[in-house]
Amino acid sequence: MSLNKFIVLSRSVRRGRNLFAARVAQTGEYLYQFQSQRFIRSSSRSLAYAKDLFLGKVNKKEVFPYPEISNEELEELNQFVQPVEKFFNESVDSAKIDREANIPPETLDGLKELGLFGIQIPEEYGGLGLSNTMYARLGEITSLDGSIAVTLAAHQAIGLKGILIAGTDAQKAKYLPKLATGEHIAAFCLTEPGSGSDAASIQLRATLTEDGKHYLLNGTKFWISNGGWADIMTVFARTEVVDKDGQKKDKITAFIVERAFGGVTSGKPEDKLGIRGSNTTEITFEDTKVPIENVIGEVGDGFKVAMNILNNGRFSMGGAGAGVVKKLIELSAEYAGTRKQFNRRLSEFGMIQDKFATMALNVYVMESMAYLTAGMMDRPGLPDCSLEAAMVKVFSSEGTWICVSEALQVLGGLGFTKNYPYERYLRDCRILQIFEGTNEILRMYVALTGMQHAGKILTGKIKEMKKGNLGVVFEILGKKIKDTVQTADFGLTGKDGVVHPSLTESAKMFEQNAACFGSTVEGLLYRYGKTIVDEQLLLKKVADVLINLYAMTAVLSRSSRSISIGLRNHDHEVLLTNTFCKDAHFKNNYMLSQLQRYSPENDDANIKKIAQDVLAKRAYICSHPLERTF
Amino acid sequence: MSASHHLLRLQCVRCVSHFLGTPVRQVILPGRAHLQTPGSQHIYVQLLRPFHRSAVCSTDRQNRTDIEKLVEDETHHKDKTLVTHDDIFDRAAGDSKTKVEFNRVVDVFKSKDIRRRGHVEFIYAALKKMPEFGVECDVTVYNKLLDVFPKEVFVPQNFIQRMFNHYPRQQECGVQVLEQMENYGVMPNIETKVLLVQIFGEKSHPIRKFQRIMYWFPKFKHTNPYPVPHVLPSDPVDLAQFSLTRIAADLDAKITIYQYPSTDITETGEEITRPHIVGIQSPDQRSLLAKHNPCKPVFVEGPYPLWLRQKCVHYYLLRADPIPPEEKVEEEIDPEMICPEQSLFFPQRVELDLNVDMGDDHSFNVDEVEEGAVYAMCMAGQGDQATLSQWISGLQETCPILGQIPTVFRLESGPRELQTSTDAHQRPEQEAETDQIIEDDEEPRHSRGVKQ
């Protein structure tokens, strides 16, 4: 908060200086300068890190140095963290919540008292008014119980975010105070019974009443977290909108719906594999009368609102995953240190050590990515970090799954029992790969958005080349030759480098991958053009390379900072960074070579064929090994 | 089991024969094999004629009555007529041509003459008669037929015999038996192999033929991705269900039985038979039909033939003319929801002015001919309009729009395939109705659109 204020202040000071200078100049010039200043301000955040990687550019200013929070903020945060940690360690019985598939009211009251229902709601509306970074930090603790984490996230990361981002002052004043205290619980109603990720699936309809003051909502929403408890819902519905040409079109609009409006019924809570304490139900709206003041944003802009809410909410999953895994490392390390087998401690076995290394590496990367992204989002302006947030979600959801599974494996059979929390964490964290956009969709999103970005810029060049414009061809050829002769250098290391010298090798690996990634993307665009949408297997690899690149950036940036300011155990961080970067580098190399034309490593055609054969018969089609023909 | 034992034993015999001279072998070895059997007199005979041992007492008394006589007659007339064995099957079997009768004839032939005179002719005749007796697909009968050959006589004994075609007529006959098995798709079994080895030896032509069959048959056994069972269901409703799922080739397609076959007797004593009506429709077809423009007619067409092994069944289609390009309505999805800038739904396109590079375009140039949509299929016991309109009204229950669409019946008079007389009774009775539009008062439910 105070950082924001400071930056806004410095801006105004600067503008004031400009105004002052302008007074000396002519009036026309003054106007021009004023405008240009405004222009610069609105475009100050046009730099995007992940998107520009597709062009083979590394905007190091975006990610170096690693974002920090001020001392005051840190103090403020620690004040929150301690009681929350205490509460989760002492008052939350996760096993019971899981067993009874319900969060007891006294636990919910405790959460409300701690203010956890209004972490990001500004203080003027009664919330804690914390930044994204601080939200992520609290998320690390709340994630110790999956059910509570999901309940809180459904409430504030998506449920009331619509009002927070796009709501009017009146809407904020009306709803936020009660939501901040947890008196009202919010829910986000987007998914419908038709297939979850299909564009045509929003069928819930809002029709304007004759007096033009209300909308009538009719339809059903599925898998609504907090569906049974929510008093305030952000509901997305189809409305008829007259567009520029005078044609009527169906557009999505977001509404704030109170349960008190009537006609809202919740179904039975779903019986789930994990996060059993969270309340997931179906919600049916029957002639629910919503006043037109409750439209969020403009009528017909609902889809943008939904995107903004979701894109901004995902980054916190990195912190949540890291919180869980850090806890499990402690638990399983204790077991490995005490349990003896063949007169040796479990912790002395290489294969067990391997598991702990994997967990530590993953946590380190998850944390680095999550807080880098949160820091980017906390910067002033309207940051576009949706790609980064999606990558954090994909990486951390999969990393968490692997780590929890490894931690369980350390305990062997014991981990499989309900006497230990491992199986619960395993079940709980499985949902991370599914909700808020499945990892498959997010990979497509990451890859295609980047491709689109790169395509827009490269189209002209590629077209010229296809036409056979020799000048362009030579230019590109020259660049290619230069690239092969010279090693890629984005200035991360060396004299004006931003990476600490002890990480030079890793930084070089990153640079090499980034350069190769840029040219590979260009090659893909050249080969497939807009039909790249159908090459999902290629896009998956593109997304994976990008996720690795972003992860490398995050750890490089974080550990450089740690060394520079001398954080405790920064040598361990260097070790983790170098290990991860090396691993990611070789994985990237492999995937990038798969993306080349006629690559022998690429087996996509076979994979597709196998799947088609199986799916055509909808069964495994091989004969049984005991089958005979004569 | 016993067959493989035989094989093993034969192989042992072979090994020993390397040490002993060939002429000796014939005498000694079979004798060895029979050392355990009681009755030394018997052994003595066997020693002389070793290859006859399998023929001993293979038939019982009752069977050897009239047929035996017949066979005897045959042999007596043998010198006078060229065609000898053909009639014996006909005469022996009389009216009932079954496997039992066939086997009996073979048995009688075997027991009649210890020297098996004329066995080649007999086997040829038997091969010819097999389809008549309905045993052409039975491997045991083939084995029985092979058993008619005397054993070990035709096995080459030295390299000269092996080099040249030893007993060519017999070998040819053996090959012919296998050939017929091949033609009818009968897989030889281990017994066949044992017999062939006993009769012709390891490297003879019939054995080669056997090996080739055994190489190719298993390979080809499952080449048909849409296998038809050997025995088709006899119930017409089951058969219709099977055939319709086979044509539909859509795992989602759902079979509906609109009417089971039944026979009612009215008060006046008239017999009313209700034919079966079985239809199939997939969800895709249903949604296509729901989008059909009610001003355009749909057609009931047929019958179209479908062959299932020996059987021909007929089906009818409900289809429409292709939609002319100017009437096509393309469904627009909100571009906002499918563009790559959103992460909720599936990004389905990128806005780029680039296409696939020429060198990377591996697609073929395919001329696509547009056809009208097929909305449903059915099979019915009768192909007349009344029956088929019952099907259409049954379809209306799931596709109410069919009530507003004019339905035109374009029925051919009969199946266009040639049929054998045995199939004739399965042919749906057709009425010659072509392009006839049902009148409104007859079928008020589904022809409202064609009021004239």
Side-chain angles (χ1 to χ4, degrees), chain A residues 189-207:
Chain A
C189 307
L190 180 69
T191 319
E192 288 199 14
S195 52
S197 305
D198 176 9
S201 73
I202 293 184
Q203 295 299 334
L204 190 130
R205 186 162 280 283
T207 40

Side-chain angles (χ1 to χ4, degrees), chain A residues 80-145:
Chain A
F80 287 122
V81 166
Q82 275 162 5
V84 174
E85 223 159 25
K86 191 165 166 258
F87 178 76
F88 270 84
N89 286 334
E90 290 169 8
S91 313
V92 175
D93 186 353
S94 296
K96 191 176 161 219
I97 292 175
D98 182 63
R99 197 170 53 241
E100 292 177 1
N102 194 19
I103 303 175
E106 55 272 18
T107 310
L108 280 178
D109 287 342
L111 294 170
K112 283 171 191 169
E113 270 166 37
L114 286 165
L116 291 179
F117 277 80
I119 299 177
Q120 287 197 285
I121 296 175
E123 283 165 62
E124 56 200 281
Y125 298 115
L128 301 182
L130 299 190
S131 64
N132 288 315
T133 310
M134 292 149 103
Y135 175 72
R137 175 70 186 97
L138 286 182
E140 271 185 47
I141 309 163
T142 57
S143 68
L144 292 180
D145 185 281

Side-chain angles (χ1 to χ4, degrees), chain A residues 143-422:
Chain A
S143 68
L144 292 180
D145 185 281
S147 304
I148 291 177
V150 169
T151 304
L152 288 179
H155 170 73
Q156 56 195 332
I158 49 178
L160 59 81
K161 214 37 167 305
I163 306 176
L164 212 56
I165 308 179
T168 59
D169 286 342
Q171 286 168 349
K172 284 183 186 170
K174 186 174 175 194
Y175 292 110
L176 288 184
K178 282 191 175 172
L179 288 168
T181 55
E183 191 183 335
H184 282 169
I185 291 180
F188 183 77
C189 307
L190 180 69
T191 319
E192 288 199 14
S195 52
S197 305
D198 176 9
S201 73
I202 293 184
Q203 295 299 334
L204 190 130
R205 186 162 280 283
T207 40
L208 205 58
T209 50
E210 277 177 20
D211 57 1
K213 285 184 183 164
H214 289 89
Y215 277 99
L216 287 180
L217 263 60
N218 276 297
T220 308
K221 293 284 182 185
F222 253 37
W223 296 313
I224 308 303
S225 300
N226 297 350
W229 306 331
D231 309 288
I232 312 290
M233 287 157 274
T234 310
V235 182
F236 295 86
R238 257 172 210 278
T239 45
E240 213 167 60
V241 176
V242 181
D243 68 358
K244 285 170 266 166
D245 322 329
Q247 276 184 318
K248 283 182 180 173
K249 270 194 173 167
D250 274 354
K251 283 275 192 182
I252 309 291
T253 305
F255 296 93
I256 308 170
V257 180
E258 296 174 32
R259 194 177 281 269
F261 287 162
V264 184
T265 41
S266 309
K268 215 173 90 237
E270 304 282 345
D271 195 9
K272 304 183 292 289
L273 172 76
I275 52 163
R276 294 175 54 79
S278 72
N279 179 282
T280 311
T281 65
E282 179 189 320
I283 293 187
T284 310
F285 298 92
E286 213 179 315
D287 283 334
T288 305
K289 222 173 177 186
V290 184
I292 46 170
E293 302 93 68
N294 275 23
V295 171
I296 304 179
E298 295 288 310
V299 174
D301 273 356
F303 203 70
K304 265 182 214 131
V305 174
M307 276 312 94
N308 268 329
I309 295 172
L310 289 172
N311 286 346
N312 286 322
R314 291 195 183 101
F315 74 95
S316 64
M317 233 175 268
V324 170
V325 181
K326 276 194 274 188
K327 167 101 176 171
L328 290 188
I329 288 180
E330 281 171 23
L331 289 175
S332 55
E334 196 187 328
Y335 179 83
T338 48
R339 162 98 174 157
K340 278 193 177 179
Q341 199 130 41
F342 312 115
N343 273 333
R344 285 167 78 190
R345 283 178 208 289
L346 220 53
S347 53
E348 291 169 45
F349 292 106
M351 285 198 193
I352 300 295
Q353 290 169 353
D354 178 35
K355 294 184 199 312
F356 284 98
T358 310
M359 288 191 267
L361 276 169
N362 267 305
V363 178
Y364 187 66
V365 180
M366 277 190 253
E367 262 181 1
S368 310
M369 286 171 88
Y371 287 98
L372 176 65
T373 313
M376 282 162 99
M377 288 169 72
D378 280 337
R379 264 181 251 173
L382 256 186
D384 175 22
C385 297
S386 56
L387 238 62
E388 283 84 352
M391 288 193 282
V392 173
K393 194 249 167 182
V394 173
F395 186 91
S396 55
S397 60
E398 282 167 14
T400 311
W401 174 248
I402 293 168
C403 290
V404 175
S405 165
E406 291 285 33
L408 188 150
Q409 186 74 19
V410 171
L411 271 83
L414 284 182
F416 198 63
T417 60
K418 291 226 176 199
N419 303 337
Y420 287 83
Y422 300 91

